[in-house]
Amino acid sequence: IEGRAVNELAILDAMQAWHNPMLDPIVAAFTSTSNHGELWILLGLALLCFRRTRKAGAGVLVAVALGAVVTNLTIKPLLMRPRPCDVNAAVAMIVPRPSGSSFPSGHTTAAFAAAAALWFARRPAAPAGLIAGVTVAAALMGISRMYCYVHYPTDVLAGIVVGTLAGLAAAQLIDWLEQRRRAKAPDIPRGPG
């Protein structure tokens, strides 16, 4: 385990070469949009506003909530993995040190929960361009956490797995609830023609 942590620190240390005065504020601003899942919650709420994407929006919100419960209330308190910035305090931080433990990445979990909820949403599905855009944003969120030196690569990988499973579970739950609602709805007789 110690050797693996050193290898992961080496990856993070190599990523520090990417830092520059133009990129740092952009990455810091982007990563902060999900300090409490705000970006993905706003996405879900926006999708709820339109009939065609309402089901997908509900899936996003449920997925982000499920991911937060599994990550922040279950795994993180059990494992209490120190963050890379605690292990190597010599690295200059571009974001404030987050509270809590490192494994898994909550930001990545929320991002991939939102993306996976869209991937797995059944009819009506979200527009393909939106799904692609959210997927790219989710990947960038994971990279941003390593760039900011607050998560190891395995933290991000675990966040991808947990988030994807949360998105799948949420999409299935929303679909099941929709089927139940339709089964209970009274048949409305159709008019002539």
Side-chain angles (χ1 to χ4, degrees):
I1 292 177
E2 190 63 37
R4 195 174 325 148
V6 169
N7 290 340
E8 289 193 65
L9 276 177
I11 293 168
L12 298 181
D13 289 342
M15 289 178 75
Q16 299 312 294
W18 302 353
H19 284 267
N20 66 68
M22 287 186 65
L23 189 57
D24 285 359
I26 294 169
V27 173
F30 175 67
T31 203
S32 70
T33 63
S34 194
N35 285 346
H36 302 99
E38 301 92 336
L39 178 63
W40 317 111
I41 292 167
L42 285 173
L43 170 67
L45 292 173
L47 292 173
L48 283 177
C49 294
F50 303 97
R51 184 178 187 86
R52 182 170 186 264
T53 57
R54 193 164 292 149
K55 195 171 156 186
V60 167
L61 294 174
V62 171
V64 170
L66 283 174
V69 167
V70 172
T71 299
N72 298 325
L73 300 180
T74 309
I75 301 174
K76 279 179 180 276
L78 283 174
L79 298 183
M80 295 300 294
R81 183 183 197 184
R83 292 183 182 270
C85 56
D86 296 331
V87 174
N88 181 7
V91 172
M93 300 293 291
I94 64 167
V95 295
R97 188 227 179 261
S99 61
S101 62
S102 191
F103 184 90
S105 166
H107 284 63
T108 308
T109 298
F112 275 87
L118 297 179
W119 300 337
F120 297 116
R122 296 219 179 126
R123 293 183 201 100
L130 176 67
I131 296 170
V134 171
T135 301
V136 169
L140 290 174
M141 185 60 71
I143 293 167
S144 78
R145 302 310 285 166
M146 294 183 289
Y147 181 95
C148 291
Y149 217 79
V150 293
H151 281 293
Y152 294 100
T154 50
D155 299 340
V156 170
L157 204 56
I160 292 169
V161 172
V162 173
T164 300
L165 292 175
L168 174 61
Q172 289 181 336
L173 175 63
I174 296 299
D175 196 49
W176 178 77
L177 290 172
E178 176 71 10
Q179 288 174 1
R180 282 190 53 131
R181 185 189 67 77
R182 286 186 179 171
K184 288 184 177 180
D187 285 337
I188 300 171
R190 295 181 183 268

